[in-house]
Amino acid sequence: MMTIEHPADRGGDERGRFERFAESASKFTSSPVFFVFCLALVSLTVALHLVGVEVTWLLFAGESMTAVTLMLLALLKNSELRADRAIQRKLDAIAAALLEAQEGTPGKAHENLRNVIRLEDEI
């Protein structure tokens, strides 16, 4: 089922397949291996231009790189939104716990703060 909800609000406490895939893609695309792969891909494209390969193949290579770029953008944006929401939940929990501490009676906000400390691992 497709939804337009914030990624952190989908599916309760468990992450869906797309969220897990997006997280893995985010980790991979920030690795040196992916940078070397991109560098090789760009070098190959430049070499194809220098060799004088048919324009059809150059267009195919360019369109393929554009499609991959758009998919990576969607995956990375998903990871970014989940991280932003986790940070916001932590800030909300800290603010509520500070208010409770100022009033002198630790209660639900302190428990909530303990629960959100590792929120980005769960989302």
Side-chain angles (χ1 to χ4, degrees):
M1 178 178 191
M2 184 172 258
T3 179
I4 58 172
E5 290 180 89
H6 192 283
D9 295 333
R10 295 183 208 148
D13 292 336
E14 284 195 35
R15 295 185 302 165
R17 281 186 279 162
F18 181 77
E19 284 79 15
R20 289 190 305 269
F21 179 71
E23 186 67 28
S24 297
S26 179
K27 289 177 183 175
F28 175 69
T29 56
S30 64
S31 71
V33 172
F34 184 73
F35 178 78
V36 170
F37 170 75
C38 290
L39 191 60
L41 193 58
V42 170
S43 300
L44 178 66
T45 304
V46 170
L48 289 176
H49 277 284
L50 293 175
V51 171
V53 175
E54 280 186 46
V55 174
T56 305
W57 287 106
L58 294 174
L59 286 172
F60 176 73
E63 290 170 354
S64 297
M65 284 195 288
T66 301
V68 168
T69 301
L70 289 173
M71 287 188 291
L72 283 173
L73 177 66
L75 293 171
L76 295 174
K77 187 63 178 176
N78 179 278
S79 294
E80 176 189 348
L81 287 173
R82 284 186 291 106
D84 287 347
R85 182 58 60 97
I87 290 169
Q88 187 60 51
R89 285 184 181 172
K90 286 179 180 181
L91 289 172
D92 291 346
I94 290 170
L98 286 172
L99 285 173
E100 274 188 358
Q102 188 176 14
E103 293 171 357
T105 55
K108 184 164 174 54
H110 279 84
E111 184 62 33
N112 189 27
L113 180 59
R114 286 187 188 97
N115 292 336
V116 298
I117 288 175
R118 294 187 180 257
L119 190 59
E120 63 272 341
D121 293 337
E122 297 172 6
I123 293 179

